[in-house]
Amino acid sequence: MGKLEAGFFLRDTVEVARDLLGRYLVRRDGEETMVCRITETEAYVAAIDKACHAYGGRRTARTETLYAGPGTAYVYLIYGVYHCLNFITGPEGVASGVLIRGCRPVWNADAVARRRFGVPAGALTAYQRKNFMNGPGKVCKGLSIDRSLNNLPLGSEALYLAEDIPELDLPPRRDTLPFHTGKRIGIDYAEEAIDFPWRFWID
C-alpha cells in the first residue's frame, strides 16, 4: 500500500501500463496537494517500438531520461506547447516507459481546475468538465507539470504514484478493474507500431 516502489515499475512495460489504471497520481505544488486517479495510459518500448523516442538505441539530451531507473519521471514537450508525463519502466539502461494520457481529479479538484481553466471545479462548463483531463497535455497543465520535473527520481514528494492514500481516505482500486485496449494515438509515423494495442483506459 501507499507509494508505488521500484519493483512495481521494474516489470514488462505493457503490464505496468495496464496496472497503472485506477492508481493515484499525486502532485504537490507549493502548499497544494492534488490527487488524480489514472484513467488512460500508453506503453512505449524502445527495443521494438518506432513510436518510442529512443527507438533503435537513440540517445539525445531529450531521450536520456528514458534510460533512467524504474519509476523516474520523464517529461517532454510536444509541438512546443504541451508537456507529457511518463514514468520509466524496466531496468536502468533499457529505454521504456508509460505515458499518462488521462486522469480524473479525486482530491482538491478546485486547484486542478484553476490551473486548467482559471476557475474552481464547480464553475466549469459542461464542455470543460468533459475535457478536463482527457489528454496528456491537459494532465500536465492541470497539475503544473513541466520540464522542471523531468528526471525526477522515484520517491520524490513533488510527484509520485500511489496504490492508496489512507490520510485522504482514498482506497486502493478494485482487483478486477475492467479496462479497454486499443491502438495508441498520434503516432501515424510509426509504421507497424501504429497497430500495437498498447493503449489502455477505463470508463
PDB file of all heavy atoms in Angstrom, residues 20 28 47-48 52 70 83-85 89 119 122 138 149 153 156 183 198-199 202:
ATOM      1  N   LEU A  20      -1.321   0.554 -14.053  1.00  0.00           N
ATOM      2  CA  LEU A  20      -1.425   1.931 -13.555  1.00  0.00           C
ATOM      3  C   LEU A  20      -2.862   2.452 -13.595  1.00  0.00           C
ATOM      4  O   LEU A  20      -3.185   3.424 -12.901  1.00  0.00           O
ATOM      5  CB  LEU A  20      -0.517   2.863 -14.363  1.00  0.00           C
ATOM      6  CG  LEU A  20       0.962   2.840 -13.963  1.00  0.00           C
ATOM      7  CD1 LEU A  20       1.778   3.697 -14.913  1.00  0.00           C
ATOM      8  CD2 LEU A  20       1.148   3.308 -12.528  1.00  0.00           C
ATOM      9  N   ARG A  28       2.330  17.538  -5.552  1.00  0.00           N
ATOM     10  CA  ARG A  28       2.429  18.540  -4.508  1.00  0.00           C
ATOM     11  C   ARG A  28       3.137  19.753  -5.084  1.00  0.00           C
ATOM     12  O   ARG A  28       4.324  19.703  -5.403  1.00  0.00           O
ATOM     13  CB  ARG A  28       3.173  17.981  -3.298  1.00  0.00           C
ATOM     14  CG  ARG A  28       2.331  16.952  -2.557  1.00  0.00           C
ATOM     15  CD  ARG A  28       2.986  16.386  -1.335  1.00  0.00           C
ATOM     16  NE  ARG A  28       2.052  15.525  -0.617  1.00  0.00           N
ATOM     17  CZ  ARG A  28       2.431  14.559   0.218  1.00  0.00           C
ATOM     18  NH1 ARG A  28       3.717  14.332   0.439  1.00  0.00           N
ATOM     19  NH2 ARG A  28       1.519  13.821   0.835  1.00  0.00           N
ATOM     20  N   ALA A  47      12.997  -0.941 -27.738  1.00  0.00           N
ATOM     21  CA  ALA A  47      13.631  -2.046 -28.452  1.00  0.00           C
ATOM     22  C   ALA A  47      12.877  -2.448 -29.716  1.00  0.00           C
ATOM     23  O   ALA A  47      13.495  -2.866 -30.706  1.00  0.00           O
ATOM     24  CB  ALA A  47      13.772  -3.248 -27.520  1.00  0.00           C
ATOM     25  N   ILE A  48      11.546  -2.309 -29.725  1.00  0.00           N
ATOM     26  CA  ILE A  48      10.751  -2.798 -30.857  1.00  0.00           C
ATOM     27  C   ILE A  48       9.732  -1.780 -31.353  1.00  0.00           C
ATOM     28  O   ILE A  48       8.951  -2.081 -32.256  1.00  0.00           O
ATOM     29  CB  ILE A  48       9.995  -4.086 -30.472  1.00  0.00           C
ATOM     30  CG1 ILE A  48       9.063  -3.835 -29.277  1.00  0.00           C
ATOM     31  CG2 ILE A  48      10.980  -5.215 -30.166  1.00  0.00           C
ATOM     32  CD1 ILE A  48       8.146  -5.005 -28.963  1.00  0.00           C
ATOM     33  N   CYS A  52       8.530   5.076 -30.066  1.00  0.00           N
ATOM     34  CA  CYS A  52       9.277   5.473 -28.866  1.00  0.00           C
ATOM     35  C   CYS A  52      10.410   6.415 -29.256  1.00  0.00           C
ATOM     36  O   CYS A  52      11.115   6.199 -30.250  1.00  0.00           O
ATOM     37  CB  CYS A  52       9.832   4.242 -28.163  1.00  0.00           C
ATOM     38  SG  CYS A  52      10.707   4.614 -26.622  1.00  0.00           S
ATOM     39  N   PRO A  70      13.898   2.687 -12.870  1.00  0.00           N
ATOM     40  CA  PRO A  70      12.447   2.492 -12.859  1.00  0.00           C
ATOM     41  C   PRO A  70      11.732   3.457 -11.926  1.00  0.00           C
ATOM     42  O   PRO A  70      12.166   3.697 -10.809  1.00  0.00           O
ATOM     43  CB  PRO A  70      12.284   1.036 -12.393  1.00  0.00           C
ATOM     44  CG  PRO A  70      13.573   0.705 -11.708  1.00  0.00           C
ATOM     45  CD  PRO A  70      14.622   1.494 -12.402  1.00  0.00           C
ATOM     46  N   HIS A  83       3.157  19.710 -22.464  1.00  0.00           N
ATOM     47  CA  HIS A  83       4.017  18.767 -21.757  1.00  0.00           C
ATOM     48  C   HIS A  83       3.317  17.411 -21.641  1.00  0.00           C
ATOM     49  O   HIS A  83       2.088  17.347 -21.554  1.00  0.00           O
ATOM     50  CB  HIS A  83       4.373  19.291 -20.373  1.00  0.00           C
ATOM     51  CG  HIS A  83       5.308  20.455 -20.398  1.00  0.00           C
ATOM     52  ND1 HIS A  83       4.870  21.767 -20.422  1.00  0.00           N
ATOM     53  CD2 HIS A  83       6.671  20.512 -20.441  1.00  0.00           C
ATOM     54  CE1 HIS A  83       5.908  22.573 -20.460  1.00  0.00           C
ATOM     55  NE2 HIS A  83       7.006  21.858 -20.470  1.00  0.00           N
ATOM     56  N   CYS A  84       4.127  16.357 -21.625  1.00  0.00           N
ATOM     57  CA  CYS A  84       3.622  14.997 -21.465  1.00  0.00           C
ATOM     58  C   CYS A  84       4.405  14.314 -20.351  1.00  0.00           C
ATOM     59  O   CYS A  84       5.634  14.416 -20.290  1.00  0.00           O
ATOM     60  CB  CYS A  84       3.775  14.204 -22.764  1.00  0.00           C
ATOM     61  SG  CYS A  84       2.779  14.804 -24.141  1.00  0.00           S
ATOM     62  N   LEU A  85       3.689  13.589 -19.496  1.00  0.00           N
ATOM     63  CA  LEU A  85       4.291  12.914 -18.347  1.00  0.00           C
ATOM     64  C   LEU A  85       4.345  11.405 -18.579  1.00  0.00           C
ATOM     65  O   LEU A  85       3.344  10.784 -18.939  1.00  0.00           O
ATOM     66  CB  LEU A  85       3.476  13.200 -17.088  1.00  0.00           C
ATOM     67  CG  LEU A  85       3.840  12.390 -15.842  1.00  0.00           C
ATOM     68  CD1 LEU A  85       5.246  12.729 -15.348  1.00  0.00           C
ATOM     69  CD2 LEU A  85       2.800  12.617 -14.738  1.00  0.00           C
ATOM     70  N   THR A  89      10.009   2.470 -17.022  1.00  0.00           N
ATOM     71  CA  THR A  89       9.788   1.092 -16.600  1.00  0.00           C
ATOM     72  C   THR A  89      11.003   0.245 -16.939  1.00  0.00           C
ATOM     73  O   THR A  89      11.864   0.649 -17.720  1.00  0.00           O
ATOM     74  CB  THR A  89       8.556   0.505 -17.297  1.00  0.00           C
ATOM     75  OG1 THR A  89       8.757   0.577 -18.718  1.00  0.00           O
ATOM     76  CG2 THR A  89       7.295   1.260 -16.934  1.00  0.00           C
ATOM     77  N   VAL A 119     -10.773  28.748 -13.078  1.00  0.00           N
ATOM     78  CA  VAL A 119     -11.963  28.804 -12.220  1.00  0.00           C
ATOM     79  C   VAL A 119     -12.006  27.550 -11.359  1.00  0.00           C
ATOM     80  O   VAL A 119     -11.398  26.532 -11.707  1.00  0.00           O
ATOM     81  CB  VAL A 119     -13.263  28.905 -13.058  1.00  0.00           C
ATOM     82  CG1 VAL A 119     -13.294  30.205 -13.850  1.00  0.00           C
ATOM     83  CG2 VAL A 119     -13.420  27.696 -13.975  1.00  0.00           C
ATOM     84  N   GLY A 122     -16.407  23.769  -9.493  1.00  0.00           N
ATOM     85  CA  GLY A 122     -17.847  23.974  -9.536  1.00  0.00           C
ATOM     86  C   GLY A 122     -18.300  24.958 -10.595  1.00  0.00           C
ATOM     87  O   GLY A 122     -19.484  25.007 -10.933  1.00  0.00           O
ATOM     88  N   LYS A 138      -3.325  18.049 -21.113  1.00  0.00           N
ATOM     89  CA  LYS A 138      -4.295  18.539 -20.131  1.00  0.00           C
ATOM     90  C   LYS A 138      -3.929  18.073 -18.729  1.00  0.00           C
ATOM     91  O   LYS A 138      -4.077  18.822 -17.747  1.00  0.00           O
ATOM     92  CB  LYS A 138      -5.692  18.061 -20.515  1.00  0.00           C
ATOM     93  CG  LYS A 138      -6.169  18.569 -21.864  1.00  0.00           C
ATOM     94  CD  LYS A 138      -7.462  17.902 -22.279  1.00  0.00           C
ATOM     95  CE  LYS A 138      -7.840  18.292 -23.694  1.00  0.00           C
ATOM     96  NZ  LYS A 138      -9.078  17.612 -24.157  1.00  0.00           N
ATOM     97  N   LEU A 149      10.321  19.076 -13.902  1.00  0.00           N
ATOM     98  CA  LEU A 149      10.149  17.806 -13.195  1.00  0.00           C
ATOM     99  C   LEU A 149      10.716  16.629 -13.967  1.00  0.00           C
ATOM    100  O   LEU A 149      10.633  15.486 -13.508  1.00  0.00           O
ATOM    101  CB  LEU A 149       8.662  17.562 -12.915  1.00  0.00           C
ATOM    102  CG  LEU A 149       7.973  18.603 -12.023  1.00  0.00           C
ATOM    103  CD1 LEU A 149       6.506  18.272 -11.854  1.00  0.00           C
ATOM    104  CD2 LEU A 149       8.661  18.685 -10.663  1.00  0.00           C
ATOM    105  N   PRO A 153      13.398  11.628  -9.604  1.00  0.00           N
ATOM    106  CA  PRO A 153      13.548  10.218  -9.222  1.00  0.00           C
ATOM    107  C   PRO A 153      12.358   9.685  -8.434  1.00  0.00           C
ATOM    108  O   PRO A 153      11.578  10.442  -7.853  1.00  0.00           O
ATOM    109  CB  PRO A 153      14.807  10.232  -8.345  1.00  0.00           C
ATOM    110  CG  PRO A 153      14.826  11.610  -7.750  1.00  0.00           C
ATOM    111  CD  PRO A 153      14.274  12.518  -8.824  1.00  0.00           C
ATOM    112  N   SER A 156      10.222  11.018  -4.884  1.00  0.00           N
ATOM    113  CA  SER A 156      10.049  12.455  -4.700  1.00  0.00           C
ATOM    114  C   SER A 156       8.688  12.761  -4.092  1.00  0.00           C
ATOM    115  O   SER A 156       7.697  12.094  -4.378  1.00  0.00           O
ATOM    116  CB  SER A 156      10.176  13.166  -6.044  1.00  0.00           C
ATOM    117  OG  SER A 156       9.753  14.496  -5.957  1.00  0.00           O
ATOM    118  N   LYS A 183      -5.347   0.883 -30.062  1.00  0.00           N
ATOM    119  CA  LYS A 183      -4.144   1.473 -30.641  1.00  0.00           C
ATOM    120  C   LYS A 183      -3.836   2.812 -29.983  1.00  0.00           C
ATOM    121  O   LYS A 183      -4.740   3.522 -29.548  1.00  0.00           O
ATOM    122  CB  LYS A 183      -4.330   1.681 -32.143  1.00  0.00           C
ATOM    123  CG  LYS A 183      -4.571   0.402 -32.924  1.00  0.00           C
ATOM    124  CD  LYS A 183      -4.789   0.727 -34.402  1.00  0.00           C
ATOM    125  CE  LYS A 183      -5.112  -0.514 -35.204  1.00  0.00           C
ATOM    126  NZ  LYS A 183      -5.317  -0.204 -36.643  1.00  0.00           N
ATOM    127  N   TRP A 198      -1.392  -0.992 -27.383  1.00  0.00           N
ATOM    128  CA  TRP A 198      -0.718  -0.616 -26.141  1.00  0.00           C
ATOM    129  C   TRP A 198      -1.323   0.608 -25.482  1.00  0.00           C
ATOM    130  O   TRP A 198      -0.679   1.253 -24.654  1.00  0.00           O
ATOM    131  CB  TRP A 198       0.766  -0.384 -26.409  1.00  0.00           C
ATOM    132  CG  TRP A 198       1.516  -1.665 -26.658  1.00  0.00           C
ATOM    133  CD1 TRP A 198       1.031  -2.946 -26.606  1.00  0.00           C
ATOM    134  CD2 TRP A 198       2.909  -1.784 -26.975  1.00  0.00           C
ATOM    135  NE1 TRP A 198       2.016  -3.843 -26.880  1.00  0.00           N
ATOM    136  CE2 TRP A 198       3.180  -3.170 -27.126  1.00  0.00           C
ATOM    137  CE3 TRP A 198       3.932  -0.862 -27.179  1.00  0.00           C
ATOM    138  CZ2 TRP A 198       4.450  -3.636 -27.434  1.00  0.00           C
ATOM    139  CZ3 TRP A 198       5.209  -1.324 -27.491  1.00  0.00           C
ATOM    140  CH2 TRP A 198       5.457  -2.700 -27.612  1.00  0.00           C
ATOM    141  N   ARG A 199      -2.536   0.930 -25.826  1.00  0.00           N
ATOM    142  CA  ARG A 199      -3.274   1.999 -25.130  1.00  0.00           C
ATOM    143  C   ARG A 199      -4.334   1.335 -24.260  1.00  0.00           C
ATOM    144  O   ARG A 199      -5.049   0.428 -24.707  1.00  0.00           O
ATOM    145  CB  ARG A 199      -3.915   2.933 -26.142  1.00  0.00           C
ATOM    146  CG  ARG A 199      -4.810   4.006 -25.516  1.00  0.00           C
ATOM    147  CD  ARG A 199      -5.355   4.952 -26.604  1.00  0.00           C
ATOM    148  NE  ARG A 199      -6.471   5.730 -26.112  1.00  0.00           N
ATOM    149  CZ  ARG A 199      -7.707   5.682 -26.580  1.00  0.00           C
ATOM    150  NH1 ARG A 199      -8.014   4.885 -27.596  1.00  0.00           N
ATOM    151  NH2 ARG A 199      -8.665   6.423 -26.073  1.00  0.00           N
ATOM    152  N   ILE A 202      -9.952   3.162 -18.771  1.00  0.00           N
ATOM    153  CA  ILE A 202     -11.146   2.771 -18.038  1.00  0.00           C
ATOM    154  C   ILE A 202     -12.213   3.821 -18.262  1.00  0.00           C
ATOM    155  O   ILE A 202     -11.925   4.970 -18.603  1.00  0.00           O
ATOM    156  CB  ILE A 202     -10.861   2.608 -16.533  1.00  0.00           C
ATOM    157  CG1 ILE A 202     -10.227   3.874 -15.921  1.00  0.00           C
ATOM    158  CG2 ILE A 202      -9.968   1.406 -16.277  1.00  0.00           C
ATOM    159  CD1 ILE A 202      -9.955   3.782 -14.451  1.00  0.00           C
TER     160      ILE A 202
END
